[in-house]
Amino acid sequence: MNSIISTPQPFPHNFYPTRLSPSRTMSFPSNVTSTRKRKADDDDLRSDDRMSASPSTSPAIPSQSLPLQRAIKRPRSGLTGRPLALPRLLETLDAESLRGVLRTICEHHPWIGTEVVNAAPRPSVTSALEVLKNYETALQASFPFGGNSTSDYSYNRVRQPLVALLDALNDFTPHFLPPNEPQATQALSFLDGATDFIHRLPNWDSFQNSLHKQNAYEEISKAWALVLREAAKRAGGMQLQYGGWDQKLAKHNQQAQGRMQEAVSEMNSILGWMGGDRQPQQGGSRGHDISTVRQELLSGTFGAGLPVRVGPW
């Protein structure tokens, strides 16, 4: 009976009650990690959904409100050498080079020269005297250093710039003479400055070399006389006396050592006709009467003592 009814034997793994189950041990950490990872993933998805979803109350940004970017001009592909365009080429030319180019074009095409003359502004007294000053500066720079500045050697050294100055003077003077220059003040202002250039011309030892300066005095004296005669025809020549031109001309004649006497004589004739005291009058009573009438006209008292007739003349 004892053999039949026997105590059941336990299973072999029950002999080790303290041993943990491998399946339970491996499953617990795995489940916790996967649960936490899914929770973090869910949180990230919810956060992405909240950020991507636009609130219903937020205004829509119009696409046209953003400023359009200006198109950037890209350099041309296949860069090759090419000449400058005309505007850029003109920017590189100085005044002297530009005048040379324009002079050459006018010589080859005379009709362009006519257009330039008609379109160019009228030369002023200041600009003309400035050109003459440049020629004078070139003349002074041509003198040899040291030695006698009035000798024939010095003359030969400066002859070319000297002739250039005299030619420029001969070209500018007719431009400021009547009838091309109707204003006597402008003409006299130019002649005043041009005469100063002649005063500063060198006095050469040789008489032949000094003819340049003597001829210049004769020409400028004739120009003065012409302008004075035309000025006397306008307003009775009042501007000649009250502008101080008689004194300026007398000073020029003194510096020229009497070689501008023709102009001085013309001035004295005009002022004498006006009743001035620059020239003795033939018949003192006539000169006195003219002077008296002139003073009365200026003061507004002419004819104040004459009787006034009433009735038919």
Side-chain angles (χ1 to χ4, degrees), residues 64-123:
Q64 298 297 332
S65 62
L66 297 177
L68 298 178
Q69 295 183 354
R70 297 180 60 182
I72 300 176
K73 186 177 181 180
R74 296 181 179 180
R76 299 177 180 178
S77 59
L79 184 62
T80 59
R82 63 181 183 276
L84 280 175
L86 180 59
R88 296 301 183 189
L89 179 61
L90 294 178
E91 290 178 353
T92 62
L93 300 179
D94 56 1
E96 186 64 25
S97 300
L98 187 59
R99 281 193 293 265
V101 172
L102 185 59
R103 189 182 304 111
T104 303
I105 295 176
C106 294
E107 291 175 355
H108 293 169
H109 307 281
W111 63 273
I112 296 181
T114 304
E115 294 293 333
V116 172
V117 172
N118 296 332
R122 183 181 180 86

Side-chain angles (χ1 to χ4, degrees), residues 12-295:
H13 63 271
N14 290 335
F15 287 102
Y16 306 97
T18 59
R19 183 178 178 181
L20 298 178
S21 174
S23 61
R24 293 172 63 98
T25 303
M26 297 298 295
S27 62
F28 179 78
S30 175
N31 293 337
V32 173
T33 303
S34 61
T35 303
R36 289 181 180 179
K37 184 175 182 180
R38 284 196 302 271
K39 184 176 181 181
D41 294 341
D42 294 341
D43 293 341
D44 292 341
L45 292 175
R46 294 191 190 97
S47 178
D48 293 341
D49 294 340
R50 286 194 301 269
M51 293 180 66
S52 61
S54 299
S56 59
T57 58
S58 61
I61 299 176
S63 60
Q64 298 297 332
S65 62
L66 297 177
L68 298 178
Q69 295 183 354
R70 297 180 60 182
I72 300 176
K73 186 177 181 180
R74 296 181 179 180
R76 299 177 180 178
S77 59
L79 184 62
T80 59
R82 63 181 183 276
L84 280 175
L86 180 59
R88 296 301 183 189
L89 179 61
L90 294 178
E91 290 178 353
T92 62
L93 300 179
D94 56 1
E96 186 64 25
S97 300
L98 187 59
R99 281 193 293 265
V101 172
L102 185 59
R103 189 182 304 111
T104 303
I105 295 176
C106 294
E107 291 175 355
H108 293 169
H109 307 281
W111 63 273
I112 296 181
T114 304
E115 294 293 333
V116 172
V117 172
N118 296 332
R122 183 181 180 86
S124 62
V125 175
T126 303
S127 61
L129 295 179
E130 184 66 25
V131 173
L132 295 177
K133 181 62 178 179
N134 294 336
Y135 281 105
E136 185 185 40
T137 302
L139 172 62
Q140 298 296 333
S142 300
F143 276 91
F145 181 76
N148 185 7
S149 60
T150 60
S151 62
D152 293 342
Y153 172 75
S154 299
Y155 171 79
N156 293 329
R157 289 286 301 271
V158 303
R159 185 179 183 278
Q160 183 176 358
L162 173 63
V163 173
L165 173 59
L166 294 175
D167 290 343
L169 185 62
N170 292 333
D171 292 337
F172 278 107
T173 300
H175 176 77
F176 292 96
L177 297 181
N180 190 63
E181 178 55 67
Q183 298 183 8
T185 304
Q186 294 294 322
L188 293 174
S189 298
F190 173 78
L191 294 177
D192 183 31
T195 307
D196 288 333
F197 285 103
I198 300 177
H199 293 326
R200 293 192 292 266
L201 291 177
N203 296 315
W204 306 105
D205 297 337
S206 174
F207 174 79
Q208 187 68 24
N209 297 338
S210 300
L211 290 178
H212 294 293
K213 190 171 185 178
Q214 295 181 10
N215 294 335
Y217 273 127
E218 292 179 3
E219 295 297 328
I220 205 68
S221 180
K222 294 178 181 179
W224 275 90
L226 176 60
V227 175
L228 293 175
R229 284 193 296 268
E230 293 296 326
K233 300 177 183 179
R234 297 180 176 87
M238 293 292 182
Q239 56 183 342
L240 297 179
Q241 184 176 9
Y242 292 97
W245 294 110
D246 55 338
Q247 299 177 5
K248 294 180 181 179
L249 181 57
K251 183 178 179 180
H252 283 311
N253 188 44
Q254 183 180 3
Q255 291 180 330
Q257 298 178 358
R259 283 175 283 190
M260 296 182 62
Q261 189 61 39
E262 180 180 356
V264 174
S265 300
E266 189 68 31
M267 176 70 79
N268 291 337
S269 176
I270 296 172
L271 296 181
W273 177 81
M274 294 172 57
D277 55 355
R278 299 296 187 273
Q279 182 181 9
Q281 298 290 330
Q282 299 293 334
S285 60
R286 183 175 180 273
H288 178 71
D289 293 340
I290 295 176
S291 178
T292 302
V293 171
R294 173 176 169 274
Q295 294 295 336

